[in-house]
Amino acid sequence: MIRCAEPREVAIQWQSRRFYPDLYGGLEVQGWELARVWRQLGRHVSVITENYPDGPFRMDTLPDGIPCLRISPVRRAWPWSSLPWLRTLHWARFQRRLAQPHQVVIASYPECVIASRLACPRRPVINNCVAVSAALAAAGVVPRPGGPQQALERLAPVLADRVTVTSRMVKRQLLDLVNLPPGKIHVLPNGVDFDRSSRARPDGDLLELRSRGFFVPIYIGRLSVEKGVDLALRAVARMAHRARTRFIIVGEGPHEPALRRLARQLDLTRNVVFLGKLDHPEGRLAAADALVLPSRYESFGIVLLEAMAAGVPTLTWRTDYPRAPVACSEIIVEGRTGLCADAFDIDDLARKLDFLAERPDLRRRFGQAGRAHCRNNYSWVARATGFLNLIQTGEPISQTCPVSR
């Protein structure tokens, strides 16, 4: 069991391939928000990340006084570095540089977990597992991992003292991959900066569209295959209210050219607006009629929390594991804070969009209920406290850190 003598002596080392200011996705946002909360709670926090391309390593001090060791990407360090075990050895070289008494490592990637065990065998390690690549491959969104990578994924949770996941779906995936005691895996949902999302000023251009009678759903996120934006485009094309719909897409990624071509092929050039990546999309989200999250794979979906905090109803797929590995319906309350379509059923998604387009009063009720649900159940303080409880007692959940329903 992970246990430290005194709460104030707990030192946490967060390890991830990317970190602030590269808030690339949910994992990066999670790490940054948790580190800030732990510092505010008086804990010593340090970070090791692999995003320094200009040399072997560099020490930084991040906002809130968080020390960060940035190491070179493994491809710069060694030849044949695509081999997973060499990435692990590369991480192990730097593990001791930020070592502190009573330190607990929280590592999100298999090579980080195993490197921690190689470099400092006595330090407690929590494997913060956010996704299982074998499950991503089964969903058809990434190539199937090779044998060495699969071996790392299987070994890391075995070597870790505890494993944390953001959803019950990821817990099921992990148990399908590795024979672990179920009690070793703990579900700790993500949080949201409620004040920032709830106080965002709605974008005037989108409000003007709505005032003219347009239905304005929005997608915010990376434009990649696993995010399923192509499925949402096909659904918009099948809507009865298509002519009065303006689908806003915020984000960038490798799938953007294909999505733009698809929009033209579906004759949606007047119905879809690509805004690109925005540093502060909160205003657009606050002004939208609904958030659509059509992912083919989603281990959590922080943007759903941001939408609920902004008072915006949500529309996503209903979890149907293993056929539909999306955890979104664990977060929203179907029929109260938003709607769920049958997994990957484009016609049903189109019907749900039409249903929301026809019912502004229902959208308003969904938004109000979602804001209350988010405020009462999801915060970064709750998640950070959950980790501290896990470190102190072996049980992560307290009254302030509910498991998502």
Side-chain angles (χ1 to χ4, degrees), residues 23-349:
L23 301 183
Y24 176 81
L27 174 59
E28 289 72 39
V29 172
Q30 175 195 128
W32 172 237
E33 295 289 353
L34 289 174
R36 293 174 63 195
V37 172
W38 285 323
R39 285 291 288 174
Q40 292 165 10
L41 294 175
R43 272 53 174 188
H44 184 280
V45 184
S46 59
V47 174
I48 300 181
T49 183
E50 190 186 77
N51 63 349
Y52 183 56
D54 299 327
F57 68 91
R58 186 184 75 189
M59 283 296 305
D60 279 344
T61 300
L62 303 180
D64 295 315
I66 300 169
C68 177
L69 174 63
R70 301 186 187 275
I71 66 176
S72 62
V74 67
R75 283 184 171 80
R76 182 183 177 93
W78 284 324
W80 309 295
S81 55
S82 60
L83 295 176
W85 287 105
L86 289 182
R87 181 185 286 272
T88 302
L89 295 175
H90 178 63
W91 270 85
R93 295 169 63 198
F94 296 96
Q95 290 287 340
R96 293 180 181 272
R97 291 185 180 272
L98 291 181
Q100 296 288 333
H102 307 290
Q103 190 171 62
V104 176
V105 172
I106 302 177
S108 299
Y109 290 94
E111 63 267 24
C112 303
V113 175
I114 298 169
S116 295
R117 279 290 182 241
L118 291 173
C120 305
R122 294 186 179 182
R123 280 195 306 182
V125 178
I126 298 174
N127 181 191
N128 181 45
C129 181
V130 294
V132 178
S133 63
L136 280 163
V141 297
V142 298
R144 183 166 293 280
Q149 183 63 38
Q150 289 190 50
L152 288 184
E153 282 206 352
R154 292 175 182 273
L155 182 58
V158 173
L159 292 180
D161 295 281
R162 288 286 188 272
V163 181
T164 57
V165 294
T166 55
S167 64
R168 297 190 300 273
M169 185 205 71
V170 176
K171 180 174 181 176
R172 291 180 64 186
Q173 290 176 342
L174 202 54
L175 290 173
D176 287 345
L177 180 71
V178 186
N179 184 20
L180 292 174
K184 185 176 182 176
I185 307 174
H186 304 274
V187 180
L188 284 175
N190 279 324
V192 68
D193 187 334
F194 183 85
D195 288 342
R196 183 176 63 195
S197 296
S198 64
R199 295 176 181 175
R201 183 178 180 179
D203 177 74
D205 291 338
L206 298 195
L207 289 179
E208 195 269 338
L209 275 175
R210 291 176 61 185
S211 71
R212 290 162 49 198
F214 285 99
F215 174 59
V216 185
I218 192 169
Y219 166 84
I220 300 176
R222 182 168 165 77
L223 303 185
S224 52
V225 173
E226 71 270 15
K227 293 301 183 181
V229 182
D230 57 306
L231 305 178
L233 288 175
R234 295 183 187 278
V236 170
R238 300 181 192 183
M239 288 178 63
H241 295 280
R242 164 180 168 171
R244 302 299 295 174
T245 295
R246 295 295 182 266
F247 182 32
I248 309 299
I249 298 176
V250 178
E252 63 182 10
H255 205 214
E256 182 175 351
L259 292 172
R260 289 181 178 271
R261 286 195 300 271
L262 180 60
R264 290 193 295 270
Q265 292 167 9
L266 296 172
D267 194 23
L268 290 176
T269 52
R270 296 183 60 186
N271 307 96
V272 177
V273 180
F274 290 87
L275 292 182
K277 182 181 178 181
L278 301 177
D279 291 333
H280 300 286
E282 297 90 352
R284 265 71 171 200
L285 178 59
D289 282 311
L291 173 86
V292 182
L293 188 61
S295 304
R296 290 182 170 89
Y297 181 95
E298 195 69 62
S299 61
F300 188 80
I302 290 177
V303 70
L304 293 171
L305 300 184
E306 293 171 341
M308 288 193 286
V312 175
T314 52
L315 174 58
T316 185
W317 304 119
R318 189 174 294 108
T319 303
D320 185 14
Y321 179 78
R323 187 178 73 87
V326 289
C328 303
S329 61
E330 294 184 30
I331 302 167
I332 71 171
V333 182
E334 187 175 359
R336 190 161 69 88
T337 68
L339 297 176
C340 294
D342 293 337
F344 308 148
D345 186 332
I346 294 172
D347 287 329
D348 193 39
L349 185 60

Side-chain angles (χ1 to χ4, degrees), residues 7-22:
R8 290 287 172 180
E9 293 180 350
V10 174
I12 298 170
Q13 184 180 94
W14 181 272
Q15 298 181 8
S16 185
R17 291 178 191 165
R18 293 182 293 268
F19 200 74
Y20 179 92
D22 300 329

